[in-house]
Amino acid sequence: MKINKNFDNLVPNYLFAEIAKRVNEYQSANPDKDIIRLGIGDVTLPLAPVVIEAMKKGADDLSKKETFRGYPDYEGYAFLREAISGYYKSFGTDVGADEILVSDGAKSDCGNICDIFGSENVVLVTDPVYPVYVDSNIMAGRKIIYADCSKANNFKAMPDDSIDADIIYLCSPNNPTGAAYTKQELQAWVDYAIRKDAVILYDCAYEAFITEDLPRSIFAVEGARKCAIEFCSLSKTAGFTGTRCGYTVIPRELERDGHNIYKLWYRRQATKFNGVSWPVQCAAAAVFSDEGQQQIKVNLEYYKENARIIADALDELGIYYTGGKNSPYIWLECPRGMSSWEFFDFLLEKANVVGTPGAGFGSNGEGFFRLTSFGDRDKTIEAVNRIKKLLSE
């Protein structure tokens, strides 16, 4: 018996596992310290009341023979897919309910989608990059090339015709940098993908944080239906990080190498995934109701205000950053020439604040640091005050 040797090419520890290890070691040695965590992008506010009621009703349905539900449809129940389709229409994008496949989240779909593509394909990711895009393809043995994001391009890489790629991962608003592409910039990527006969894997998990005139979906861009697959999640939009629900959109006409992409993904899901539970799909549908949209907006505004508080502090300190607007993430340049992990330790030990070292997101993340706006308001304000005091000394 042999092990998949591609796993030997992964970094030894997953980024957030390493952060947890360091924080736990520090806390054990300093049990009296009040540590504020602005690192991992987990939400802190409860689910919206209408969502909870729908979930309770869904669970109650399972207690009665006449309303009991077993295995769900592989693509998700029609009522949820239709609700998602209506949500797209609310911001002017036409996506059919029969092009939506419900899942347990964008992260798993972003990693699993490449099951349907050959291992010889070349994968293009932006650097810095969300780890799942890289790690899942390393596990599969694919060649990965990187498009540089830096201060010079405001952390928004653009296509280069001298580079050939078959699979392109884009995330906008971006995790970790918070940078968001304009429609014209996304048009350039769509045109590039069509020229290269490539497929864009577009992660828009943070689209609900967009406040400016920016695309909420890759399908707002002309030609995207010829080359793109879109992934979205209710994790940050509606607080489903522990509930698990997302969706993938594949245009029915999208084909490559003589195969229909929707049919391939459906076949993959039917084999390896048994769908999202009835109570969770009921809860997810409630998110897209008029009442649900009003209620989740309250939480979204809370997180947006946290982001503004952090961004204002960085403005006051004169520190370069991206994000903080259109995004729950703030990507800042480490002060005093510190490396990412040096700043992590400095902030943890001197201010008892936890963030995420940029080096964990790729080589271009070195010297940068990610903070998130998903914390408690009072703790966010306290963390900001600690950081301001520390960096003003």
Side-chain angles (χ1 to χ4, degrees):
M1 195 278 285
K2 301 293 184 182
I3 294 296
N4 181 352
K5 296 298 183 182
N6 291 315
F7 276 69
D8 293 338
N9 298 322
L10 296 169
V11 294
N13 290 324
Y14 183 57
L15 171 61
F16 296 106
E18 177 63 24
I19 290 171
K21 174 177 174 290
R22 295 195 185 202
V23 173
N24 290 339
E25 287 175 352
Y26 179 81
Q27 185 78 85
S28 295
N30 302 274
D32 59 319
K33 298 297 186 182
D34 176 26
I35 296 176
I36 300 176
R37 301 169 190 260
L38 299 183
I40 195 166
D42 199 359
V43 295
T44 53
L45 295 176
L47 295 170
V50 69
V51 170
I52 292 295
E53 288 306 311
M55 187 178 293
K56 287 179 179 178
K57 182 181 182 304
D60 188 57
D61 288 342
L62 302 183
S63 71
K64 305 168 188 175
K65 184 175 181 179
E66 59 270 25
T67 54
F68 177 79
R69 300 283 181 146
Y71 290 125
D73 299 333
Y74 292 120
E75 70 273 37
Y77 289 112
F79 68 85
L80 175 54
R81 292 184 286 109
E82 288 164 2
I84 296 169
S85 176
Y87 175 67
Y88 273 93
K89 287 183 175 65
S90 74
F91 51 82
T93 302
D94 188 18
V95 167
D98 64 343
E99 299 177 312
I100 296 164
L101 299 103
V102 177
S103 73
D104 61 354
K107 179 179 181 179
S108 54
D109 281 4
C110 284
N112 292 332
I113 191 72
C114 284
D115 280 2
I116 69 175
F117 300 121
S119 60
E120 65 274 22
N121 286 301
V122 175
V123 178
L124 174 68
V125 300
T126 58
D127 179 2
V129 61
Y130 184 48
V132 70
Y133 309 156
V134 173
D135 290 356
S136 57
N137 282 288
I138 288 176
M139 292 172 187
R142 293 188 184 87
K143 178 182 177 181
I144 301 172
I145 56 178
Y146 296 86
D148 288 334
C149 298
S150 66
K151 280 180 72 174
N153 58 19
N154 289 316
F155 286 92
K156 293 191 288 184
M158 295 303 294
D160 181 346
D161 267 309
S162 69
I163 295 173
D164 293 326
D166 305 298
I167 299 168
I168 302 162
Y169 279 92
L170 296 178
C171 178
S172 180
N174 186 265
N175 181 10
T177 70
Y181 283 114
T182 66
K183 189 172 185 178
Q184 292 74 23
E185 289 164 342
L186 284 180
Q187 187 69 65
W189 276 110
V190 166
D191 294 343
Y192 168 82
I194 291 172
R195 289 195 300 272
K196 299 293 183 180
D197 197 34
V199 172
I200 294 174
L201 305 181
Y202 190 74
D203 184 350
C204 65
Y206 308 98
E207 57 82 18
F209 287 86
I210 291 175
T211 57
E212 297 179 315
D213 185 20
L214 298 169
R216 301 276 293 272
S217 164
I218 189 72
F219 298 118
V221 177
E222 185 177 354
R225 294 182 64 87
K226 301 176 183 177
C227 67
I229 298 171
E230 181 160 287
F231 309 89
C232 200
S233 167
L234 297 184
S235 287
K236 309 302 168 33
T237 300
F240 276 52
T241 53
T243 310
R244 309 309 307 146
C245 192
Y247 48 92
T248 291
V249 180
I250 305 179
R252 282 289 190 165
E253 66 267 33
L254 183 61
E255 295 191 353
R256 286 295 183 275
D257 194 24
H259 291 76
N260 181 272
I261 301 300
Y262 178 97
K263 290 179 180 178
L264 287 178
W265 181 238
Y266 182 92
R267 181 67 179 85
R268 187 269 177 203
Q269 292 296 79
T271 298
K272 293 189 175 185
F273 181 62
N274 265 336
V276 176
S277 72
W278 171 255
V280 170
Q281 291 201 49
C282 291
V287 169
F288 300 105
S289 67
D290 290 343
E291 188 177 5
Q293 287 294 293
Q294 291 172 3
Q295 290 180 3
I296 67 167
K297 185 178 179 181
V298 175
N299 287 6
L300 289 168
E301 291 301 324
Y302 182 96
Y303 296 135
K304 289 176 184 179
E305 176 63 12
N306 281 352
R308 187 197 63 76
I309 289 168
I310 298 170
D312 284 352
L314 296 177
D315 286 335
E316 186 177 331
L317 291 166
I319 294 175
Y320 170 86
Y321 66 92
T322 55
K325 184 183 292 185
N326 305 309
S327 169
Y329 298 117
I330 298 89
W331 179 253
L332 64 108
E333 188 169 27
C334 295
R336 305 176 186 176
M338 283 186 271
S339 72
S340 297
W341 282 107
E342 284 175 339
F343 187 59
F344 174 88
D345 291 333
F346 178 71
L347 209 56
L348 174 61
E349 295 168 9
K350 301 298 184 182
N352 302 144
V353 174
V354 178
T356 308
F361 296 103
S363 60
N364 283 359
E366 181 54 86
F368 287 84
F369 202 77
R370 193 191 76 174
L371 296 174
T372 85
S373 66
F374 290 119
D376 171 82
R377 173 65 49 74
D378 290 340
K379 288 185 178 294
T380 298
I381 292 172
E382 173 61 22
V384 163
N385 288 336
R386 292 181 191 179
I387 292 170
K388 287 166 63 175
K389 180 180 178 182
L390 178 62
L391 296 181
S392 298
E393 292 176 351

